[in-house]
Amino acid sequence: MAKSCKKLDEPILIPTNGKSIRLTKWRKLDIGELETEAYFGKPIDSTLPQYFDKYPSNQRKQTTCTKYAGILFGLLAAISFSASALSSKLLVGRKYHVFNIGLYRYQGMTILGPLMLLYFTLIRKIPVFDAIWPPTKPKLRIIFILVLRSSFGVGTMLFQIQALKYLSLADTSLITFSTPIAVAFFARIFLHEPCRILSIILGVTTFGGICILARPPIITGGTEFDMNILIGISYAFTAMLFLSSVFVVIRLIKETHFSLFICFYGYLGSIETLMLAYCFDVLELPRSTYDSMIFAGGAALSLAGQIFLIMALKADFAGLVALVRTGDVVFAFIWQIILGSIPDEFSFIGAITIVTCILMTGVIKWLSSLPNDHIWRVKCWFLLK
């Protein structure tokens, strides 16, 4: 352990895998996690919220800061991704193909990813590659999950950009970033986080909000559905499912350094989009300096968003971080208004419905992280059924 390790006032017994581990030391890491050392000298994960209150009061402040770090990183990710989506919307309007837009957005991660690896490996002396090398069965599993995460990320971006061809920026972001609802179900399956009856009700209500965005004839007074809107909603909904999977997959290997995520995602994304652009014969360079600036800005914002997102997911629950990322919706409405396109009443009604459900999901996640005897958990017990 590093010299900054501190001994606990009293040892803590943490049950894991059917055994009780005697926790004696801890230290704060840059990524917002706690590395612990048991009596047999092996590191274990002690970030589970049910053990936070067992730390002495002088250490509890550090753990609370870790929670707020997840919210802060999530908010920064929201700003970065919403601005990146804005750049994609501008490029779609300038008739660039979705594969080209995706390819150039990955170049920030492709160029800067290796530099980040070198910095953390050579200067910070962090054993970044220990997670995947030498190849053993557990490390091959990590490599597989990194590839899976990259594939989900590519799907998210391509379907989101494709949806922007048919929907407004606000409607696309509203559907794509309603991830907390899907994350609540995925996290129950893969992360064993609780999924309650109210979560199911909120999921159904969110689907109703998406139906409002579809503008069915029964509420618009028309004679038939607008097929362009239905196509756009299908793309955005698919992007939402891919993005929800990204949230969960990152949590499965949260001990992996974020620079590995960036490199895998950048290179695999570049290879996939380059092959698609070449096969469909749509590969082209930016047509003007203005277009080049938009491409460069989108790439930089995409890189920043990925870093903030991974750091946020490492520092907090998947559901809470997904809640904060719904700030993307707010920023998307702001960008759309700045562009001179005022959302109609159906966008606002759908937004109110979906955002309300997302906020309720966040409240449930927050209550579930509180101690059993906390005053707010006792008062709002019915929300946790």
Side-chain angles (χ1 to χ4, degrees), residues 107-360:
Q107 297 317 298
M109 288 174 274
T110 303
I111 296 172
L112 297 181
L115 298 179
M116 295 169 59
L117 275 177
L118 292 174
Y119 169 76
F120 287 109
T121 303
L122 301 179
I123 298 178
R124 295 290 298 277
K125 305 298 183 183
I126 297 176
V128 175
F129 291 100
D130 284 2
I132 60 174
W133 191 266
T136 60
K137 187 174 181 179
K139 294 179 180 181
L140 288 175
R141 171 182 173 271
I142 292 177
I143 294 175
F144 172 74
I145 294 178
L146 286 171
V147 174
L148 192 65
R149 179 262 178 272
S150 301
S151 300
F152 287 153
V154 172
T156 298
M157 184 168 63
L158 293 182
F159 280 106
Q160 182 189 20
I161 297 174
Q162 192 69 14
L164 289 171
K165 296 172 63 176
Y166 300 93
L167 300 176
S168 66
L169 178 61
D171 286 354
T172 301
S173 299
L174 187 60
I175 298 173
T176 303
F177 297 116
S178 60
T179 50
I181 306 300
V183 165
F185 292 102
F186 288 177
R188 171 64 183 133
I189 298 173
F190 299 106
L191 304 181
H192 306 293
E193 294 181 11
C195 182
R196 297 170 174 84
I197 297 177
L198 183 57
S199 298
I200 299 175
I201 297 175
L202 293 174
V204 174
T205 307
T206 300
F207 183 76
I210 295 176
C211 290
I212 293 176
L213 295 178
R215 296 162 175 80
I218 192 173
I219 64 175
T220 61
T223 57
E224 59 183 10
F225 281 96
D226 187 327
M227 292 307 299
N228 285 333
I229 293 179
L230 291 181
I231 293 172
I233 287 178
S234 299
Y235 282 128
F237 187 80
T238 305
M240 184 268 288
L241 294 179
F242 275 114
L243 184 58
S244 300
S245 302
V246 169
F247 274 81
V248 176
V249 166
I250 291 178
R251 291 287 296 178
L252 289 175
I253 50 174
K254 63 179 182 179
E255 70 278 3
T256 305
H257 198 270
F258 75 88
S259 59
L260 276 180
F261 282 99
I262 298 299
C263 279
F264 267 82
Y265 184 35
Y267 277 96
L268 289 178
S270 295
I271 292 172
E272 291 180 29
T273 50
L274 178 61
M275 292 176 61
L276 289 170
Y278 179 79
C279 291
F280 284 85
D281 196 24
V282 294
L283 185 63
E284 65 175 317
L285 295 174
R287 306 184 193 113
S288 65
T289 303
Y290 176 72
D291 292 351
S292 299
M293 293 175 61
I294 298 178
F295 276 119
L301 291 167
S302 182
L303 171 63
Q306 289 299 324
I307 294 175
F308 292 137
L309 173 60
I310 293 170
M311 297 290 284
L313 288 171
K314 284 174 172 290
D316 219 317
F317 278 123
L320 182 57
V321 175
L323 166 66
V324 178
R325 279 211 61 200
T326 55
D328 289 10
V329 176
V330 178
F331 290 114
F333 271 82
I334 295 174
W335 302 137
Q336 181 170 327
I337 293 174
I338 291 176
L339 291 176
S341 177
I342 306 299
D344 61 18
E345 63 273 18
F346 299 107
S347 292
F348 280 112
I349 294 174
I352 292 173
T353 303
I354 294 175
V355 171
T356 300
C357 293
I358 293 172
L359 290 175
M360 286 299 300

Side-chain angles (χ1 to χ4, degrees), residues 8 10-16 19-24 38-39 44 50-51 54:
L8 299 175
E10 295 180 0
I12 299 174
L13 293 179
I14 298 181
T16 178
K19 299 179 180 179
S20 292
I21 295 179
R22 189 168 179 267
L23 176 63
T24 58
Y39 65 92
I44 59 173
Q50 57 262 41
Y51 299 118
K54 294 186 179 181

